[in-house]
Amino acid sequence: MISDEQKLAAVLAYFEEKESPYQIANRLQMDRQYIRLWIELYRYHGIEGIIRPQGFTNYEDSFKIKVIQHLIETGDSLLQTAAKFNIPSRETIRRWKEQWMSTAGEVLYQVEKERQSMPKKQPASSDLNEKTTEELKAEIEYLRMENAYLKKLKALVQEKDAFKSKKK
């Protein structure tokens, strides 16, 4: 296992000594993708991107969705996305995307089922009057994000189904 100090030294060799990721990887006898990730983490987050607290990080589902949504919308690579969101491994994002894709159909089915069976409930006007402008703006932003997520989810499920039927 490589230490945080060795990671930082590798990143500084890239920036200060103009060593290539390939050269650094050969010297450390490791895959250059790790070097590229450390460089990007440093570029986005400074030393905090390289030196991390020990132990397991538990990410909230909302954060995972935000990361996957960013990945899909921007077309960034797993490495770029990991660096932007300060995630130490691109494999973490790949796993989240895989899990998301495998449950996409199930989630979409549940959403459609709820949409059909539950009548729309209008909020009481007193509820709206009690909320501050900031709370209402935050709720609107959340609902917009949720709507965009569901649209992308539906498109991905359709794309996945089309791919499956094309494969047959």
Side-chain angles (χ1 to χ4, degrees):
M1 178 97 180
I2 193 158
S3 71
D4 290 338
E5 289 77 19
Q6 290 171 309
K7 291 177 189 178
L8 188 56
V11 169
L12 293 177
Y14 173 80
F15 283 109
E16 294 174 1
E17 298 168 25
K18 307 299 181 198
E19 225 181 312
S20 74
Y22 182 77
Q23 292 168 319
I24 297 167
N26 279 342
R27 183 168 40 84
L28 296 176
Q29 298 179 339
M30 61 187 325
D31 186 345
R32 74 173 171 215
Q33 293 298 322
Y34 290 107
I35 310 301
R36 289 180 58 219
L37 177 60
W38 300 337
I39 291 167
E40 291 302 311
L41 283 167
Y42 185 82
R43 198 174 271 154
Y44 281 101
H45 306 285
I47 198 166
E48 289 83 22
I50 303 296
I51 298 177
R52 313 180 143 280
Q54 296 299 317
F56 179 75
T57 304
N58 189 18
Y59 297 98
E60 296 288 327
D61 288 342
S62 59
F63 177 74
K64 293 177 184 180
I65 291 169
K66 182 179 176 181
V67 171
I68 299 303
Q69 193 172 24
H70 172 84
L71 181 71
I72 293 167
E73 287 176 358
T74 63
D76 283 353
S77 69
L78 293 173
L79 186 135
Q80 291 167 321
T81 304
K84 284 181 184 174
F85 289 93
N86 203 11
I87 299 169
S89 171
R90 65 180 195 265
E91 289 303 308
T92 300
I93 298 171
R94 184 198 53 75
R95 192 174 59 252
W96 291 349
K97 184 179 178 188
E98 206 172 82
Q99 289 169 346
W100 184 75
M101 290 295 288
S102 69
T103 59
E106 193 178 306
V107 170
L108 186 61
Y109 174 76
Q110 280 299 110
V111 168
E112 289 298 322
K113 188 175 175 184
E114 287 175 12
R115 212 181 264 165
Q116 291 170 1
S117 64
M118 295 184 74
K120 299 234 181 210
K121 180 182 171 187
Q122 295 295 328
S125 59
S126 62
D127 288 347
L128 291 177
N129 292 336
E130 290 175 8
K131 291 187 177 182
T132 67
T133 305
E134 290 304 312
E135 290 173 326
L136 291 171
K137 285 180 182 178
E139 186 174 347
I140 289 170
E141 180 60 31
Y142 175 81
L143 292 172
R144 284 181 178 158
M145 185 177 75
E146 184 179 47
N147 192 31
Y149 169 75
L150 291 172
K151 284 180 183 178
K152 291 204 180 297
L153 178 63
K154 188 173 184 177
L156 285 169
V157 168
Q158 289 171 345
E159 184 180 308
K160 186 177 178 183
D161 290 343
F163 179 74
K164 281 183 180 178
S165 63
K166 190 176 182 182
K167 220 175 168 183
K168 289 180 184 178

